[in-house]
Amino acid sequence: MNNSIAMKRFEIVVGIEQLEQLTELLEKCSVRGYTVLKQAGGLGSRGVRDPGDVLMEQENVMVVLACKDEQAQKIASELRPVLKGLAGMCLISDCLWLEGPAVSY
């Protein structure tokens, strides 16, 4: 594909109470950009989390980012030992970054 860069895509889901710890870890790994999607729901190790439930005390967030392979390896090695403590999940997949006006990877 023209004007695209092969990258790794991270989708990380944690409780909102762990978001600051996660973003500090990403900063330590020199991540220059990510997207935070609040009120992520689903079924996991902590049961069902329904963002439409007004009584839900803890909400999940999903952080999405893309980076080159070398940085992805650094992020994975930093994230692996703390992921259980974050009580979250992380998916890593291959993706293509379409070059646009601003680069944030």
Side-chain angles (χ1 to χ4, degrees):
M1 206 179 266
N2 293 338
N3 297 326
S4 62
I5 302 168
M7 304 191 85
K8 297 291 185 185
R9 174 187 168 116
F10 282 76
E11 296 170 83
I12 307 166
V13 179
V14 296
I16 196 163
E17 60 276 5
Q18 284 84 29
L19 180 59
E20 184 176 346
Q21 183 182 354
L22 176 59
T23 56
E24 287 171 1
L25 182 145
L26 296 176
E27 185 177 319
K28 178 180 174 183
C29 295
S30 302
V31 170
R32 294 176 30 198
Y34 54 83
T35 299
V36 176
L37 304 168
K38 294 186 175 181
Q39 295 184 331
L43 172 63
S45 61
R46 297 175 286 171
V48 174
R49 294 224 170 174
D50 178 3
D53 184 353
V54 294
L55 299 176
M56 185 171 79
E57 294 178 16
Q58 298 175 325
E59 104 183 35
N60 282 347
V61 296
M62 180 166 56
V63 176
V64 179
L65 65 104
C67 59
K68 292 187 177 178
D69 189 56
E70 184 178 304
Q71 188 175 31
Q73 291 177 24
K74 182 177 181 180
I75 294 167
S77 68
E78 292 287 332
L79 186 58
R80 188 175 289 112
V82 299
L83 195 56
K84 278 190 178 181
L86 292 174
M89 66 167 245
C90 175
L91 301 175
I92 305 170
S93 55
D94 294 326
C95 69
L96 294 175
W97 178 285
L98 278 178
E99 289 187 276
V103 177
S104 63
Y105 59 84

